[in-house]
Amino acid sequence: MVIEDEKIIAAEELFTDSRLRIRKVVQSPAGKLYLLTDEINGKVIRIMNSTN
């Protein structure tokens, strides 16, 4: 999301082709973002941008 003056001005959708259902999203103490998928053998996915 791109936020200016407390308003969302742009958003990017992730995982649109993989049809994942997200169970939980957490941020680590270091500021890294992780997702847990809602599957029998769920996946932990770290979200990174081009500067990580």
Side-chain angles (χ1 to χ4, degrees):
M1 304 251 172
V2 177
I3 302 172
E4 287 184 8
D5 298 322
E6 299 184 20
K7 293 183 181 181
I8 298 171
I9 61 168
E12 178 183 359
E13 292 187 30
L14 304 173
F15 308 112
T16 56
D17 294 332
S18 56
R19 313 277 289 164
L20 294 174
R21 182 174 167 177
I22 304 302
R23 163 71 83 187
K24 189 168 187 169
V25 179
V26 295
Q27 184 176 8
S28 75
K32 297 177 181 173
L33 188 61
Y34 294 89
L35 308 177
L36 175 64
T37 63
D38 189 17
E39 304 166 326
I40 292 175
N41 293 319
K43 299 174 190 171
V44 174
I45 301 169
R46 180 175 166 207
I47 304 298
M48 299 173 59
N49 63 26
S50 60
T51 62
N52 285 103

